Structure formats: structure tokens, C-alpha cells
Amino acid sequence: MRVLIIDDHALVREGIALVLRSLRPDCSIVQADTCQSGIEAARAEPFDMVLLDLQLPDMPGFVALERFRREHGSLPVVVVSGMEDRDTVLRTLDMGAKAFVPKSADSSKIRHALEALLDGRVYLPESVVGAGAGVGPQSVRPESNWNLTDRQREVLALVVAGLPNKLIARRLDIAESTVKIHVSAILRELRVTSRTQALIAVARSGVRLPSV
């Protein structure tokens, strides 16, 4: 597992790196203090996941996330931010982030979040996955009741990772039209109407999706 941490606070980067190494001793970690240096690092070598702060000195707000998704569309992005209201979380998911970890969470919750991500699961704050969040289906069917084919589970994993249909088709070596058919079937099966709601449903279920 190769992880890129982008945050302008060295203490935050080192803290996250420490937790990652305790969970996965063989985890290779690269740190960057600006979005631009992170983008350049991702150009130089492949990563499995990037942990990105939204409030960076060179690209504040959502600009960093938009730029990173544009430059590295196939790399799963996990936002780690102090901007953690529900609207902010949902906006990051709509922009293609795979998960969201609030900086205000205590050490045990951050450890739990990183452990879930390393295990191939999705972590979102309670403001989004909680029963009172008002987003998507409030009652999610157990994963064991999802009638998805192996291929549809692969497509779902890539949808959750934030990949657009074009990149999913390329990754799985299938036609983009076929991806669209699978995505439509997945949304119907999960009883949701958007990719963001599908991601929330996956987070609520706690399912571990296949590595693709």
C-alpha cells in the first residue's frame, strides 16, 4: 500500500503517518505540504490512495480537490479536513472523493477511519451516514441482500473510488456503454438515485468491496 498525505501542517501529516504505519507496517508513505507538490509526487510514482486536506495555502477550499481529480482521476482521494459540516462533506463526495475523515475526530475514531480505508471499506462522518442525516435511503438493505454480479461489484468499487465511467471502462476493459448499464443496475439495486447516495449506502452497510 502506497499512500500520499497532503497537508500543510507537519504535525497532522506525521500523526496520520504514525497511525497508518501502526495499522500497516509495510505501508509506504510520501508527504507533501501543498497541492502542487502532491500533484507532482503523484506524477512521479503510483499511489493507492491520497489523503488530502481542503485548506491548503496554494489552493484553498475545493480548488485542490478539483485540481487533483482532474490531474489524477483514477487515484482514490480521501478528504481529511476541519471543514466538516454536512454540506461540505456531500460536496466533496459529489466531486469524486472516496471518503471523508473529520480532523476534529478523536484519535480512536481517526484510527478506526484509517483502518476501514486500508481494509477497502468506506468511512464517512456520522453527519452523513447517521439515521438523521436526511441523505439517501434511511434504511439500507444488508449487503448480503444485494443482488449484484461480481462484475457489478467491481464497477461499484470503482464508482466508490470516484472514477468516471470512461476510466471504469478502461480499467475493466469493457465498453463505456456497458459501464452505464451496470451503474444503472447498481443504483436500482441499492435503491439510490446517484453515485453519492451509492457511496453513502456502501458506508452505511460497512461492506468491503473488491480491489480492482
Side-chain angles (χ1 to χ4, degrees):
M1 171 71 74
R2 298 183 60 79
V3 178
L4 173 61
I5 303 173
I6 307 175
D7 196 293
D8 60 323
H9 294 95
L11 189 61
V12 173
R13 297 196 307 270
E14 291 295 341
I16 293 175
L18 184 64
V19 175
L20 287 172
R21 291 191 183 101
S22 70
L23 292 170
R24 189 77 65 85
D26 62 343
C27 187
S28 177
I29 299 170
V30 173
Q31 300 182 26
D33 59 1
T34 65
C35 184
Q36 185 58 42
S37 60
I39 288 173
E40 292 171 359
R43 287 173 182 165
E45 56 183 310
F47 290 95
D48 299 298
M49 179 170 61
V50 57
L51 302 175
L52 175 69
D53 183 21
L54 284 182
Q55 296 172 300
L56 295 168
D58 61 334
M59 296 182 196
F62 296 94
V63 177
L65 176 57
E66 181 182 21
R67 175 76 184 280
F68 210 94
R69 293 298 300 155
R70 185 170 67 249
E71 294 270 346
H72 303 285
S74 62
L75 177 57
V77 176
V78 176
V79 170
V80 183
S81 177
M83 298 169 56
E84 55 194 71
D85 59 279
R86 188 168 67 90
D87 288 343
T88 294
V89 177
L90 292 176
R91 185 175 175 185
T92 63
L93 301 182
D94 287 340
M95 292 176 65
K98 175 182 179 178
F100 191 105
V101 180
K103 282 188 176 180
S104 65
D106 59 39
S107 58
S108 63
K109 286 185 178 179
I110 290 178
R111 182 181 180 86
H112 171 71
L114 295 176
E115 187 174 26
L117 293 168
L118 290 174
D119 190 44
R121 291 175 284 127
V122 172
Y123 181 89
L124 294 174
E126 188 65 20
S127 63
V128 171
V129 298
V135 179
Q138 296 306 306
S139 179
V140 177
R141 287 189 299 167
E143 182 269 336
S144 59
N145 292 340
W146 292 357
N147 186 24
L148 299 176
T149 66
D150 289 343
R151 176 62 87 189
Q152 287 170 342
R153 286 178 180 273
E154 290 176 341
V155 171
L156 177 58
L158 295 174
V159 166
V160 166
L163 272 67
N165 288 348
K166 183 176 182 179
L167 292 182
I168 293 175
R170 188 178 303 167
R171 179 75 64 87
L172 298 179
D173 195 24
I174 57 179
E176 188 173 351
S177 58
T178 302
V179 174
K180 292 179 180 179
I181 293 172
H182 283 317
V183 171
S184 295
I186 290 166
L187 296 183
R188 286 196 304 270
E189 184 62 26
L190 271 58
R191 297 176 183 172
V192 298
T193 58
S194 69
R195 286 169 169 251
T196 295
Q197 287 188 0
L199 194 156
I200 294 171
V202 169
R204 284 176 176 163
S205 72
V207 62
R208 185 182 187 279
L209 293 171
S211 177
V212 183

